[in-house]
Amino acid sequence: MSRIVIMGGGPAGYEAALVAAQHGAEVTVVERDGMGGACVLDDCVPSKTFISSAGVRVELRRAPELGIEADARSVKVELSRINARVEALARAQSADVRARLEREGVRLVAGVGSFAERPPDNAPHAVRVHTGGHANGWNRVGAAQTGAQAAEQAGDQIDEVPADVVLVATGATPRVLPGAVPDGERILTWRQLYNLNDLPEHLIVIGSGVTGAEFVSAYTELGVKVTLVSSRDRVLPGEDADAASVLEDVFADRGVTILSRTRADSVHRDGDEVVVTLADGATLTGSHALMTVGSVPNTADLGLDRVCVKLDRGGFIPVDRVSRTTAPGVYAAGDCTGVLMLASVAAMQGRIAMWHALGEGVAPIKLKTVASAVFTRPEIATVGISQATIDSGEVPARTIMLPLGTNPRAKMQGLRRGFVKLFCRPATGVVIGGVVVAPVASELILPIAMAVQNNLTVNGLAYTFSVYPSLSGSITEASRQLMRHDDLD
């Protein structure tokens, strides 16, 4: 029986554990915060729960146009109740993950792990586990403590677990800038927002990537004055330009102030206010500042040097397409690898690692088939080849962009903004990518993702029945418009 030790209980870790257990391995998961890891307890699940609450006001704003008298401005927002629901749902999801692993016979250890200096004679590796005291190593000021620091503060015991295979899935933590250290009260990381009892009077968001855009959208919908400081020329610089333009228009309509090509040099607290000093010497004053300036991998103090695994310049663990590191029997998955930092990708990396380690047939991960979403209002979802890649001439394609406003279901719901894009190979019509901007883009992207994953053609999508009326009808309509007339002969 293979002995597998997994460091980290987030999506990469727990999905890997399920695969390994189902294939008869002896599995131990070492997790310091709770099953589901930061993704479930502090990050993805809480943020999307929070965003769901904020979305209620979006529907109320549209209500008068649909013949329903409602005033979104008069709606009372109780932030403490929203955050209580966020915490309760996160803990419930964590409990569900734990229960599933326990049913599968996975051994769960509360603590932190690192590679032992000398594995026992009967195992290629051993993981040194600091247990007891339930080592909760997250520093709520915003940085993660190392395993040794957490263990020392917890006063825990030390054990060593032999392993034939080790999966490192320790995730990442919000980046902290030297001149803008979070205090958990006024200067915040995105994992600290749920400690607030009252809505900010003026929230300054620093960073215009996915996380920044999502919280700008959510807090704006809750009626908060928001200023976004972006070092780039637009919101969501890594996403489709047309989609980002739609979102910027929405932000402008909601009263968001966007400072583009502006860099924040420092953030400090002045009583009940925060002062943001910009690179040009100007200052901004608000009630709270949210730092969304990226993540750093939790790879320090894991003893990776003991197994000859070297980190890249960013501190991430390099892996190949089946999640192998440079050390035999050592795999890595999730945000600690820096490979598309998405929960879905982390989970797939973890599964692939175990299938490969246990000798199962496995296809290497295909990043070009990954679907992702930005949970703003409207949502933005993408998959496959990007518009920028096509425009650069790197990949030839036929393209179509249909505005959502022409869709009958969108008209019924009072939706004006949004679109569906579809990209296909010029000769074969094989679908190679797409973009959806819509209230439920994260759901609508699935048929396009299935087409990209399975090399389906626009003909195949066009001949597929969609419900009438439905937003998904725009996908089949886009496919019909991309069909070549000579394909119909």
Side-chain angles (χ1 to χ4, degrees):
M1 178 182 294
S2 297
R3 296 164 296 182
I4 294 175
V5 177
I6 299 171
M7 298 186 206
Y14 72 71
E15 289 289 348
L18 290 172
V19 169
Q22 289 163 359
H23 285 78
E26 179 184 294
V27 188
T28 300
V29 176
V30 182
E31 165 59 46
R32 63 185 175 186
D33 291 329
M35 295 315 303
C39 174
V40 169
L41 292 169
D42 297 303
D43 208 325
C44 187
V45 169
S47 66
K48 280 34 174 192
T49 305
F50 185 89
I51 289 166
S52 295
S53 292
V56 172
R57 285 179 58 127
V58 180
E59 302 304 321
L60 290 175
R61 185 181 295 105
R62 195 179 297 124
E65 181 182 341
L66 305 183
I68 306 297
E69 286 302 320
D71 186 355
R73 293 171 297 180
S74 65
V75 174
K76 182 180 179 181
V77 177
E78 296 186 16
L79 187 63
S80 59
R81 290 183 61 185
I82 292 175
N83 287 339
R85 179 175 179 267
V86 166
E87 181 178 358
L89 195 150
R91 294 192 179 280
Q93 182 67 17
S94 177
D96 287 347
V97 172
R98 182 182 186 90
R100 172 75 189 283
L101 291 170
E102 289 176 337
R103 286 198 302 271
E104 297 294 336
V106 176
R107 179 192 177 202
L108 306 178
V109 180
V112 293
S114 61
F115 284 95
E117 294 185 11
R118 295 182 180 177
D121 293 337
N122 66 342
H125 303 287
V127 174
R128 196 173 190 228
V129 182
H130 300 269
T131 61
H134 196 68
N136 187 350
W138 287 111
N139 180 341
R140 294 300 177 181
V141 169
Q145 298 166 300
T146 64
Q149 290 171 334
E152 181 179 351
Q153 292 186 16
D156 53 12
Q157 300 174 348
I158 297 174
D159 192 11
E160 287 194 0
V161 183
D164 300 304
V165 174
V166 177
L167 173 68
V168 181
T170 48
T173 197
R175 182 184 299 278
V176 174
L177 302 180
V181 177
D183 62 8
E185 296 179 354
R186 296 283 174 173
I187 306 174
L188 308 160
T189 71
W190 62 85
R191 292 180 180 172
Q192 298 170 326
L193 285 169
Y194 315 109
N195 297 328
L196 298 179
N197 292 319
D198 299 303
L199 288 172
E201 293 180 9
H202 179 193
L203 179 64
I204 301 174
V205 178
I206 299 170
S208 59
V210 172
T211 302
E214 288 182 344
F215 280 110
V216 167
S217 179
Y219 272 93
T220 299
E221 295 300 343
L222 292 176
V224 174
K225 178 182 178 182
V226 178
T227 297
L228 174 61
V229 179
S230 171
S231 63
R232 308 294 288 274
D233 59 353
R234 64 176 173 88
V235 174
L236 297 174
E239 300 294 326
D240 182 86
D242 291 322
S245 179
V246 171
L247 188 60
E248 285 187 338
D249 288 345
V250 171
F251 284 174
D253 281 355
R254 300 291 185 267
V256 176
T257 299
I258 303 177
L259 303 179
S260 301
R261 298 181 181 177
T262 304
R263 188 175 298 277
D265 273 357
S266 66
V267 183
H268 72 272
R269 184 169 173 177
D270 184 9
D272 289 338
E273 294 181 326
V274 294
V275 179
V276 179
T277 302
L278 305 178
D280 62 2
T283 59
L284 296 173
T285 301
S287 63
H288 297 76
L290 171 62
M291 307 300 298
T292 62
V293 289
S295 300
V296 292
N298 298 326
T299 52
D301 205 36
L302 297 179
L304 291 168
D305 56 325
R306 295 171 189 152
V307 291
C308 299
V309 172
K310 294 183 179 180
L311 304 177
D312 67 14
R313 293 180 61 184
F316 295 97
I317 303 173
V319 294
D320 64 12
R321 293 175 61 201
V322 292
S323 303
R324 288 179 298 190
T325 69
T326 54
V330 178
Y331 294 74
D335 288 358
C336 65
T337 68
V339 177
L340 281 185
M341 298 169 78
L342 300 169
S344 58
V345 173
M348 185 60 74
Q349 282 183 293
R351 296 185 200 107
I352 288 174
M354 291 301 101
W355 285 322
H356 186 272
L358 296 171
E360 298 293 321
V362 59
I365 194 167
K366 292 167 45 176
L367 298 180
K368 289 184 179 180
T369 66
V370 173
S372 62
V374 184
F375 290 85
T376 48
R377 297 286 177 153
E379 294 178 355
I380 298 169
T382 58
V383 67
I385 299 298
S386 69
Q387 179 80 63
T389 302
I390 296 169
D391 291 344
S392 70
E394 184 178 343
V395 175
R398 286 187 281 136
T399 69
I400 187 72
M401 176 174 169
L402 292 184
L404 202 63
T406 63
N407 178 288
R409 183 68 178 274
K411 293 176 182 177
M412 295 170 192
Q413 295 178 330
L415 305 176
R416 293 185 177 85
R417 290 191 174 96
F419 59 79
V420 170
K421 282 187 182 183
L422 204 58
F423 315 136
C424 73
R425 296 286 184 190
T428 63
V430 170
V431 179
I432 58 174
V435 183
V436 179
V437 179
V440 288
S442 55
E443 305 290 346
L444 290 172
I445 199 67
L446 180 60
I448 304 177
M450 292 180 69
V452 172
Q453 174 70 34
N454 296 286
N455 294 316
L456 303 183
T457 65
V458 288
N459 291 40
L461 280 178
Y463 288 130
T464 301
F465 283 95
S466 60
V467 172
Y468 183 88
S470 68
L471 296 182
S472 59
S474 287
I475 297 174
T476 54
E477 174 61 24
S479 302
R480 285 192 289 273
Q481 293 195 27
L482 276 180
M483 293 172 69
R484 292 168 53 128
H485 291 296
D486 54 4
D487 290 336
L488 304 178
D489 295 337

